[in-house]
Amino acid sequence: MKRLILVRHAKTEVIRYDISDYQRSLVNRGINDSKLIANKLFLKNIIPDLMISSPANRAIETALLFANALQYPVDEIEQNDDLYDGFTTNEFLALLDQLGKENETVMVVGHNPSIEYLAFNLTEEFYKAVPTCTVIGIDFQIDKWSDIEARTGKLAFYEYPKKYKEAKGK
């Protein structure tokens, strides 16, 4: 079995004229949300064998926070420009095959709309919102990443910060 974990970067500062979109950083809420969700994954023993991130500042900051909470070596986070620019599902699957190798669980930190499209295209049925810091786990009953086909994944988990903030407020 292979498990793909899709992560949308956490909440960022608003778009401004003095910095590029690529340079935008996480705000305090984004930092706190990343720690919250990463710790929930850690408590459920959901740990990646490989972490791949967009090189955009907000995605790398999210990936670093997740890596720290999940005890993943930060210097082993793979950065891939295509996660910022976006690509087709087939191009993404080729990336997984290339980088995933023998890893069973791969975490990918990126941006919307790509994360939402990938979740929709790779699972049998995914029609959920993907707010910032959402984590989507997808399981595939395969031995090699190259064996993934569209719409064959099973939704393993769906985590997002508001889920825990709403529960806390009750």
Side-chain angles (χ1 to χ4, degrees), residues 4 89-90 93 116-127 138-142 147-155:
L4 174 63
T89 301
N90 284 336
L93 292 176
E116 188 170 347
Y117 292 159
L118 288 170
F120 175 79
N121 289 334
L122 295 175
T123 59
E124 289 179 334
E125 191 172 291
F126 184 86
Y127 301 105
I138 305 170
D139 289 342
F140 298 92
Q141 297 302 319
I142 56 168
D147 293 338
I148 293 178
E149 294 179 13
R151 306 253 163 103
T152 59
K154 302 268 191 230
L155 183 65

Side-chain angles (χ1 to χ4, degrees), residues 59-105:
I60 282 295
E61 288 177 348
T62 302
L64 289 170
L65 290 164
F66 271 72
N68 285 324
L70 299 172
Q71 300 175 359
Y72 183 89
V74 295
D75 58 332
E76 292 182 19
I77 297 171
E78 293 272 346
Q79 294 185 44
N80 187 286
D81 289 328
D82 290 329
L83 290 173
Y84 178 74
D85 297 327
F87 42 29
T88 67
T89 301
N90 284 336
E91 291 167 337
F92 178 76
L93 292 176
L95 173 76
L96 273 182
D97 184 40
Q98 175 193 351
L99 296 178
K101 302 192 185 348
E102 301 303 315
N103 297 299
E104 296 300 311
T105 302

